[in-house]
Amino acid sequence: MKVLIIEDEDQSISALKSEIEIHCPSLQIIGIAKTVKEGIAQIKALKPELIFLDIQLSDGLGFEILELHGENQFKVIFTTAYSQYAIRAIKFSAIDYLLKPIDSDELLAAVAKALRTSRQDEAIKIGNFMQNQQLAPTRKKVALQTSDGISVFELETILRCSAESNYTCVYFTNGKKLLFSKTLKDFEDLLCTSGFERIHHSHIINMNHLTSFVNKDGGYVVLSDKSTLPVSQRKKAQLIQALNNLT
């Protein structure tokens, strides 16, 4: 797989090159770019199959390369120093990322996933990522791995998520439900800054579909589909605070 590194710090370039050469012999580094402008030119000239793309470059954001390049024929692994906002946006589209300094095991896992991912699924993920940059928080879409590949779901169509061992069942407004091989904690990390609340060790709800909170019989919520779910004592104060923030 032909690789292009787009990164503006020499130390980070050297470290990433070293990690790739030692741990990923199936990757061939064909070029390095340090700016958005250079990145666009290198993509056109070299036609890489995989790009390690730094989020913050000296002349702009790495995201701009995806916008300016248009139809993407490559896979992307973002690299970044810790940025909660950026990572959350990336996770929403199931795109892989690596935190600096690069960890060898995380690099191997990200590369293995890139090798497995089809071009079609990668295009869906990148397309969803770019679209989400233009949408209001409540209109965002989340890309999730299903048995058929990557599927994109509007947040407003998700009613709730419930734990089923190490899996999570997601319930939708159309009555459909799907089982995902992610823990409820994974969904909490993904959704609970975007209008969702964890109300119980087994349940996350979309606050936009909450119709009432009944503070008796231990406490429970009623959702727009008439379903009821318990609220744990530990989560009750947090839910009440979230409700107060809505008013």
Side-chain angles (χ1 to χ4, degrees), residues 71-83:
E71 190 67 27
N72 301 302
Q73 297 297 320
F74 49 79
K75 301 174 183 181
V76 174
I77 298 174
F78 284 112
T79 61
T80 181
Y82 185 70
S83 167

Side-chain angles (χ1 to χ4, degrees), residues 2-232:
K2 296 186 295 183
V3 171
L4 173 64
I5 295 173
I6 304 179
E7 163 67 65
D8 64 351
E9 296 178 356
D10 289 336
Q11 184 175 354
S12 295
I13 293 170
S14 178
L16 180 55
K17 279 183 64 180
S18 178
E19 289 290 334
I20 290 172
E21 289 165 357
I22 293 170
H23 300 288
C24 305
S26 63
L27 302 186
Q28 177 192 1
I29 299 171
I30 58 172
I32 293 169
K34 293 187 175 183
T35 64
V36 171
K37 185 176 180 180
E38 287 179 8
I40 293 293
Q42 293 270 41
I43 290 169
K44 289 180 178 178
L46 302 175
K47 295 180 171 51
E49 297 167 281
L50 173 64
I51 294 175
F52 287 90
L53 180 57
D54 188 17
I55 291 175
Q56 186 70 56
L57 298 168
S58 59
D59 63 338
L61 296 174
F63 304 154
E64 296 172 39
I65 291 175
L66 303 182
E67 291 176 347
L68 294 171
H69 192 263
E71 190 67 27
N72 301 302
Q73 297 297 320
F74 49 79
K75 301 174 183 181
V76 174
I77 298 174
F78 284 112
T79 61
T80 181
Y82 185 70
S83 167
Q84 190 173 7
Y85 172 79
I87 290 172
R88 191 181 307 135
I90 291 166
K91 283 184 174 180
F92 254 65
S93 298
I95 299 175
D96 270 319
Y97 68 93
L98 296 170
L99 289 176
K100 301 175 187 177
I102 304 298
D103 177 83
S104 302
D105 291 337
E106 291 177 0
L107 172 65
L108 285 167
V111 169
K113 188 174 178 181
L115 290 169
R116 292 194 307 268
T117 302
S118 69
R119 288 186 182 274
Q120 180 181 12
D121 281 348
E122 187 74 8
I124 291 171
K125 292 190 290 184
I126 293 175
N128 182 62
F129 175 82
M130 299 311 300
Q131 186 180 38
N132 274 346
Q133 306 311 301
Q134 313 301 322
L135 296 174
T138 56
R139 298 290 298 172
K140 290 187 185 298
K141 299 178 182 180
V142 60
L144 297 171
Q145 181 74 49
T146 69
S147 57
D148 298 321
I150 295 291
S151 294
V152 177
F153 305 94
E154 294 182 3
L155 288 185
E156 62 185 15
T157 68
I158 299 175
L159 274 170
R160 60 188 177 95
C161 308
S162 294
E164 295 195 11
S165 187
N166 287 326
Y167 294 81
T168 298
C169 189
V170 178
Y171 294 77
F172 296 88
T173 53
N174 62 2
K176 185 178 180 180
K177 61 181 182 179
L178 292 172
L179 192 66
F180 294 94
S181 57
K182 287 179 175 288
T183 65
L184 196 65
K185 180 63 167 64
D186 291 330
F187 276 92
E188 181 181 11
D189 292 342
L190 186 64
L191 299 175
C192 283
T193 53
S194 301
F196 288 73
E197 284 291 331
R198 187 162 186 171
I199 60 165
H200 188 274
H201 71 271
S202 295
H203 302 294
I204 293 170
I205 62 169
N206 186 338
M207 294 294 286
N208 290 320
H209 291 292
L210 174 65
T211 59
S212 63
F213 165 57
V214 182
N215 196 13
K216 65 178 183 179
D217 299 328
Y220 62 91
V221 296
V222 182
L223 301 183
S224 57
D225 66 343
K226 309 302 182 186
S227 61
T228 61
L229 296 169
V231 179
S232 70

